[in-house]
Amino acid sequence: MKSIIIRGGRTLHGDIAVSGMKNAALPIIFASILTKDRCVLDNLPDVTDVNLSLNILESMGATVERLGKTTVAIDTKDLAGGCSPVDLVSRLRASTYLLGAELGRFGSAKVGFSGGCDFGVRPIDQHKKGFEAMGATVTIEDGCHLVRSARGLHSASVYLDIASVGATVNVMLAACTVPGRTTIDNAAREPHIVDVANFLNMCGARISGAGTSFIKIFGVDSLHGCSYTIIPDMIEAGTYMVAAAATGGMVNVKNVIPKHMETVTAKLIEMGCGVDESDDCITVSRSTRLTGANIKTYFYPGFPTDMHPQFAALLATAEGTSTITEGVFENRFRYVEELRKMNAVINVYGRTASIVGTKQLTGSPVIAVDLRAGAALIVAGLSARGVTEIAKVETIERGYDSIVDKLRGLGADIELAEK
Ligand code: EPZ
C-alpha cells in the first residue's frame, strides 16, 4: 500500500510547474474518436485518469503511441464502438464522454456506467436531454447506457437545465458532423470547454461561442486529425497557490493562465496573501496570519468547486470563522471528517461548512476519500505540526502529476512511502 508522509511546518519557496489540465485532456482524448485520422496531443498530464482513458481507447482498437512523457499520438481508424470495457469505464467519470463520441462517430453508443469521485448521485439526465433533442433514444440495457438514432441524428436547440460540463461536452461531440445548426443554451463556460471546442475546430469542426453560455455547432461532413496542446491545469495551479498560502514563504506557480485563476487569486488576496502575476506565472507569498473568508462555489466563472476542499484546509487555520457553501454538488463534504482528525473545527449545515480557524493543525493518519479531498489533506499536512500520513494515494494520483516531487522541489518534507 502506498502512502504520502508529510512532516509539516516548513515554508515553501521556489518554482513549481503546472502540468496540462486533466479535465481538458480527458474529453479531448475521447473526442479523438470522431476522426479516423491521427491526432497528436501534447502537454498531457501523467495522471491515472489520462492513462486509463488511453487504455480504454486501445482496448476498443485504437493505436496509442507514446511520443514523450506528455505527448501521445492517437489513431482511432480501427476503433470499434460499443465495446469499451465496463470495468475500466466504471473507474472514472470522463468515460461518459464515450457516449457523445461514439454517437458522433457511429450514430449509436453503448457504454457502461461511469465512476469518479463520490459526491452523491452524478446523473446524466442533461446528457440524455441533449441526445434526445437530436433524435436519439437513450435506454439502459445489459448494464450499459444505449444511445440509438434509428433515423440518424438531426440538429437541435438544446437548453441545459444545469450548466453541466459533461453534458455541454457530450452535445458538442455528438453534433460536430450533424447537418445544420445545433445550439446549446445555458452551456458550461469552463476553460476546458473552450479547449475541447478549440481541439474540435482544429479537426475541422465549426463551433463558436465556447466559453459563453450559448454555443453554436454547424455540422461538417467529417473531421480530420490535428496536433493540439492541452491548456494548463487551473485546479493543480490553484492547489499549489493554496499550499504556498498555507505554509507561508514565496512560490512561483509557472505555466499558468492567470485569467483562469481569477477567483482563486481574488480570494487569496482577500485573506491577506501577496499575489503577483506575469503572463504565465503567479507568485504567492504569505508572511502574516491569514484572515478568514466566505466562499460560495459555483459554475465557472464562479469559484471552482474543485478548489473547495483545499480552501477548507487553508481556512482551518485562518483568523476567525469562515464558511464555504457548495453550489455545484449536493455532497462534497467527505473531506471534513479527515480534516477533523487534524484538529480542524468544521461543522456542516446543509450545503455550508462553517470553519472556526485554529492556530495550527496537528498531523494525523488520514485517508484521501476523493481526489480534491486528498489534495486538501496534503495542504493541511504541509502546514500542520507533526507527521501526517495520507492513505489511498492512488486517489490523488488520478489527477495530480508528480505532486510529491513537485512539492519536494519547494522544500516540503514529503515522501511517497510503500508499505
Ligand atoms: C466535471 O464533472 C469535472 N470532472 C469535475 O471535476 C468538476 O467538479 C465538475 O465538472 C464541475 O466543474 C471531469 O471533468 C472529469 P457537471 P461533471 O456535469 O462533468 C449535476 C475533479 O475533481 N448534473 O458539470 O460530472 C451534477 O450532479 C472533478 O477533477 C446533473 O444533475 O460535472 C452536479 O451537481 C470532480 N445532471 C452538477 O450538475 C447531469 O446530466 C455539475 O455537474 C449532469 C450534471
Side-chain angles (χ1 to χ4, degrees):
M1 290 287 283
K2 286 195 284 191
S3 65
I4 290 177
I5 297 175
I6 304 171
R7 294 168 188 82
R10 292 196 174 182
T11 55
L12 302 183
H13 296 271
D15 296 352
I16 189 165
V18 171
S19 301
M21 180 158 200
K22 165 179 84 80
N23 290 348
L26 298 174
I28 288 171
I29 286 168
F30 288 114
S32 68
I33 291 173
L34 291 173
T35 174
K36 296 177 184 173
D37 293 348
R38 186 171 184 263
C39 289
V40 177
L41 304 180
D42 193 12
N43 201 33
L44 286 176
D46 183 10
V47 296
T48 316
D49 276 12
V50 163
N51 296 322
L52 187 54
S53 301
L54 295 170
N55 293 344
I56 289 172
L57 290 193
E58 285 178 307
S59 62
M60 297 170 74
T63 305
V64 174
E65 191 187 352
R66 304 275 172 167
L67 303 177
K69 183 176 183 304
T70 65
T71 309
V72 294
I74 303 173
D75 184 333
T76 66
K77 68 176 175 303
D78 298 326
L79 177 136
C83 61
S84 53
V86 289
D87 57 325
L88 299 187
V89 162
S90 68
R91 286 171 50 190
L92 74 167
R93 172 71 177 181
S95 47
T96 317
Y97 297 134
L98 281 164
L99 291 169
E102 288 190 20
L103 193 54
R105 168 87 175 258
F106 303 108
S108 65
K110 180 179 181 185
V111 185
F113 298 126
S114 62
C117 295
D118 176 9
F119 305 141
V121 179
R122 294 185 73 179
I124 64 162
D125 58 298
Q126 298 301 305
H127 303 237
K128 189 166 175 282
K129 179 178 184 182
F131 297 151
E132 287 170 344
M134 296 171 70
T137 56
V138 185
T139 55
I140 288 177
E141 290 175 35
D142 308 328
C144 288
H145 292 293
L146 216 53
V147 190
R148 293 191 187 91
S149 60
R151 290 197 295 279
L153 297 175
H154 56 69
S155 59
S157 298
V158 177
Y159 176 80
L160 295 178
D161 302 313
I162 295 173
S164 156
V165 167
T168 301
V169 169
N170 256 341
V171 172
M172 281 201 297
L173 298 180
C176 277
T177 57
V178 172
R181 183 182 96 146
T182 296
T183 60
I184 308 171
D185 201 352
N186 195 27
R189 299 166 54 187
E190 276 75 357
H192 32 304
I193 297 290
V194 178
D195 217 28
V196 174
N198 287 343
F199 167 77
L200 292 169
N201 285 339
M202 287 282 276
C203 292
R206 287 182 58 208
I207 300 173
S208 58
T212 74
S213 56
F214 191 72
I215 296 176
K216 295 187 285 283
I217 305 114
F218 295 90
V220 295
D221 291 339
S222 65
L223 298 187
H224 51 72
C226 77
S227 291
Y228 193 78
T229 299
I230 307 292
I231 55 170
D233 194 318
M234 58 187 271
I235 305 301
E236 183 193 11
T239 302
Y240 297 139
M241 291 167 68
V242 167
T247 59
M250 180 178 284
V251 173
N252 304 311
V253 183
K254 303 176 82 72
N255 303 344
V256 299
I257 299 174
K259 172 103 181 95
H260 294 169
M261 309 310 303
E262 280 178 339
T263 52
V264 171
T265 297
K267 197 52 71 173
L268 289 177
I269 291 170
E270 181 187 327
M271 292 174 64
C273 288
V275 182
D276 296 303
E277 290 180 5
S278 69
D279 58 345
D280 66 350
C281 176
I282 294 182
T283 300
V284 178
S285 55
R286 197 262 294 175
S287 52
T288 57
R289 188 180 185 196
L290 295 174
T291 52
N294 297 314
I295 292 173
K296 291 178 175 44
T297 74
Y298 204 60
F299 301 98
Y300 193 90
F303 190 94
T305 176
D306 291 346
M307 286 302 302
H308 166 166
Q310 301 92 311
F311 265 85
L314 182 64
L315 291 166
T317 58
E319 182 77 41
T321 299
S322 305
T323 59
I324 302 181
T325 300
E326 174 55 45
V328 174
F329 290 104
E330 70 260 23
N331 177 14
R332 188 168 198 156
F333 295 101
R334 294 181 64 212
Y335 69 88
V336 169
E337 207 44 52
E338 300 306 312
L339 284 181
R340 281 185 180 144
K341 293 177 184 174
M342 301 177 73
N343 278 318
V345 180
I346 307 181
N347 288 294
V348 179
Y349 308 100
R351 292 180 73 156
T352 296
S354 172
I355 304 166
V356 179
T358 58
K359 277 265 185 281
Q360 190 170 31
L361 299 178
T362 52
S364 168
V366 288
I367 300 168
V369 290
D370 62 57
L371 171 57
R372 307 304 174 183
L377 294 172
I378 289 178
V379 168
L382 290 171
S383 72
R385 176 171 40 78
V387 180
T388 298
E389 182 164 8
I390 304 172
K392 290 192 72 178
V393 171
E394 63 278 5
T395 308
I396 299 171
E397 291 173 332
R398 288 186 51 205
Y400 286 93
D401 183 350
S402 316
I403 188 167
V404 170
D405 291 340
K406 289 184 179 183
L407 288 171
R408 287 174 69 86
L410 294 178
D413 184 347
I414 181 171
E415 61 179 309
L416 194 57
E418 298 267 355
K419 273 187 177 173

